[in-house]
Every structure is written in C-alpha cells, then in structure tokens.
Amino acid sequence: MSTGAITPAADTILSPPAAAMHHPASRAGRSVHDLLAPLVKQVAESEVLRADSLGCWRSGEDLLFLPRFFFQRRTVHKPRIKVGIFAGIHGDEPGSVLGLIQLARALECYPEMGRNYQLWLYPLCNPSGYIDGTRESRSGKDLNRQFWKNSSELEVQLLEKEISKQRFNGIISLHCDDTSYGVYGFGGGALNGLLLKQGLAAAERALPRNTAAQIDGFTASYGIIESRYDGILSAPADQRPAPFEIVLETPHHAPMRQQGHAFLFGLHAILAEYRQLECTTKT
C-alpha cells in the first residue's frame, strides 16, 4: 500500500474483540486479557510493532499493568517524530481503548501511515477502572485530574515518568463523552487547532461533529475547545520545545464500531497533517 489509506470497508482492522463490544453499562469484571490477547498475538508476529509494560502491581486479586505498544516502520536509524497516544485513562470509556487498538492493528496492515514516526501507544491507562467499569481508578481518584500534582496514584506516577523520559513531539489523548452527540476535541493554540481541525474533519466520516457553542462546560467553536481541565495527562510544563497536545473525544453512546472508525480516521489525519508540516518546515 503506497498511501496507507483507511476506509470503512477495512473490516479486518476495525472489528474489535467480541468480548469488548458490549456497551459500558454492564461491565464490571471485564477482562484485560480478553481485550488485549488478540493484539498481543498479532504483535508477536509483527515486524513493525512491539509490546511491553510500564509496570505491574496487585490490587486485591487482580494483577494490573500498564501496557505499551511501540510502532516503527523500519529499523534504519534516522530522526523520527515521537508521538505518544493515550487511551483508557477513564475506565468507563472502552471506546477510547478500542480506538487505539484499531490504530495498532491498522499500522500493522498499513505501515506507511506511520511513516517518519515512532508511535508509542498506551491503550489502558486505568486498568482497574476498565475492569470495574468505573471512570475513576480503584482508589476512587479521577486519574485525569492528577497529573503533575505530586500524585500518589501509581498509574499517574508511571505515566509521568514515561512522558518525561520520552519527551514526545506530540501527545494525543482519546476520550468518550457521555453528554455529547458528536465528535469534538481540546486543542488550544494555532498548531493544536490546525491538527485537531484535520482530525475532526476525518472523524466526521464516521460520526457527526458536535457543533454546539458550549461543550462539556467550555466555549467551543465548531467542535474545538481551546481551554482544558487542570491536571489532565500532558507533557510537563517545562518541556522545551513543547509538544503539540490534542484531546479527541467521541460520543460515548454511539455504536462502538463507529467510535473505532472515528478515532482511527481522526488519528490518521492528525498524523498525516503533522508529518506534512514537519516535512515542509525542514525543506
């Protein structure tokens, strides 16, 4: 494939594990193994993907871990764009987890879509919340309000350490909003706004855009919010150069398959746009 084009007909990419397709309201006791096993098996045979973990720990009878997947199209040594993509920081948003799994599967089938990139994928940033079907982690904390605040939450500490170490050129977070009828995102500043504009336009192939003037309590302009919550997953404030940072949201109550399409199309467009900008800057 020369273009790496992704279409809604790509059923082998966009079909999530059957056990993960059920709607979030009934899922206490979801299995992380059932969710990730097909992808881990695929990675074991892949030439472009690797998998490991940021760490593991016990919570009651559950052995929890933070999975990490790494994509690089070729092994040749050269400068690459490093982007971290994070999902599942809220455990009751399985659409975000599945969206990132779809990206990993698409990268295996169409490596060209990741050309010039190192992509670090973190599909399950709140494993206990995913298992329990809750927004918060098992400690009762909303992990996406804990970053860079000396948090005692192990998941936050592991992610902060990883983000500081990797010094990403870009950070993308995936979320699902149960109060929204369409896709939207957070992306303040010229670069973030430009990338998000492209991502939302592509995501609209799968789901409508939320065009309300107020979304999630923030002023919005055609699905783009320039403000953001305090303590969300992000780069440290002193990182220079600062990375681009985008939050992409799908409507939580939309069919899971359509959420997967929207995330995949949006991510593909964001990565393609940023690669083009980088190539233009360096020529």
Side-chain angles (χ1 to χ4, degrees):
M1 279 286 173
S2 61
T3 62
I6 304 298
T7 71
D11 291 338
T12 57
I13 296 172
L14 289 163
S15 298
M21 283 294 288
H22 303 292
H23 198 277
S26 60
R27 286 61 24 212
R30 286 179 294 190
S31 168
V32 172
H33 176 270
D34 290 346
L35 176 73
L36 296 178
L39 183 58
V40 171
K41 180 180 179 181
Q42 180 177 332
V43 169
E45 302 170 355
S46 175
E47 296 182 359
V48 297
L49 291 167
R50 299 202 309 264
D52 61 11
S53 169
L54 295 186
C56 61
W57 66 98
R58 285 207 169 271
S59 176
E61 297 181 356
D62 293 318
L63 178 63
L64 305 178
F65 65 101
L66 281 179
R68 174 178 63 182
F69 295 86
F70 170 79
F71 167 87
Q72 184 170 298
R73 189 171 65 102
R74 293 178 178 174
T75 57
V76 61
H77 292 286
K78 69 173 187 178
R80 299 180 191 275
I81 306 166
K82 294 182 66 174
V83 172
I85 310 179
F86 300 82
I89 194 73
H90 290 143
D92 61 350
E93 298 177 6
S96 69
V97 179
L98 293 175
L100 195 45
I101 289 174
Q102 307 311 346
L103 176 65
R105 297 171 71 187
L107 288 166
E108 170 68 18
C109 294
Y110 304 104
E112 184 67 14
M113 71 181 290
R115 178 170 50 89
N116 293 351
Y117 279 101
Q118 279 187 358
L119 298 176
W120 302 78
L121 314 179
Y122 308 85
L124 200 62
C125 296
N126 179 1
S128 65
Y130 177 81
I131 292 169
D132 299 341
T134 58
R135 175 183 176 89
E136 298 80 11
S137 69
R138 198 163 284 171
S139 70
K141 297 288 183 62
D142 183 339
L143 300 181
N144 208 37
R145 302 294 183 269
Q146 297 282 313
F147 283 86
W148 312 111
K149 295 183 174 183
N150 297 315
S151 175
S152 61
E153 301 302 300
L154 181 57
E155 300 92 331
V156 173
Q157 292 176 0
L158 289 171
L159 288 166
E160 286 180 346
K161 181 179 179 181
E162 175 75 354
I163 292 168
S164 295
K165 174 184 176 182
Q166 297 295 350
R167 298 185 62 82
F168 295 115
N169 301 111
I171 291 176
I172 306 173
S173 297
L174 308 184
H175 284 271
C176 310
D177 186 340
D178 62 1
T179 67
S180 179
Y181 66 82
V183 294
Y184 72 93
F186 292 79
L191 175 58
N192 293 334
L194 174 62
L195 296 174
L196 184 53
K197 180 180 178 181
Q198 298 299 320
L200 292 176
E204 280 187 289
R205 294 165 55 196
L207 288 168
R209 187 187 305 221
N210 187 334
T211 58
Q214 289 276 329
I215 304 176
D216 204 21
F218 294 97
T219 298
S221 175
Y222 203 50
I224 296 178
I225 299 170
E226 295 200 3
S227 304
R228 70 180 194 179
Y229 287 102
D230 184 44
I232 66 170
L233 189 152
S234 63
D238 60 355
Q239 180 175 321
R240 297 292 182 272
F244 74 80
E245 294 185 305
I246 292 172
V247 178
L248 188 61
E249 303 248 8
T250 60
H252 179 84
H253 296 298
M256 198 72 72
R257 184 177 179 78
Q258 288 176 248
Q259 290 189 59
H261 282 309
F263 279 128
L264 180 56
F265 297 158
L267 289 168
H268 187 199
I270 290 166
L271 294 174
E273 180 69 14
Y274 189 73
R275 177 173 53 232
Q276 181 62 38
L277 291 172
E278 283 287 284
C279 290
T280 301
T281 300
K282 292 178 180 179
T283 56

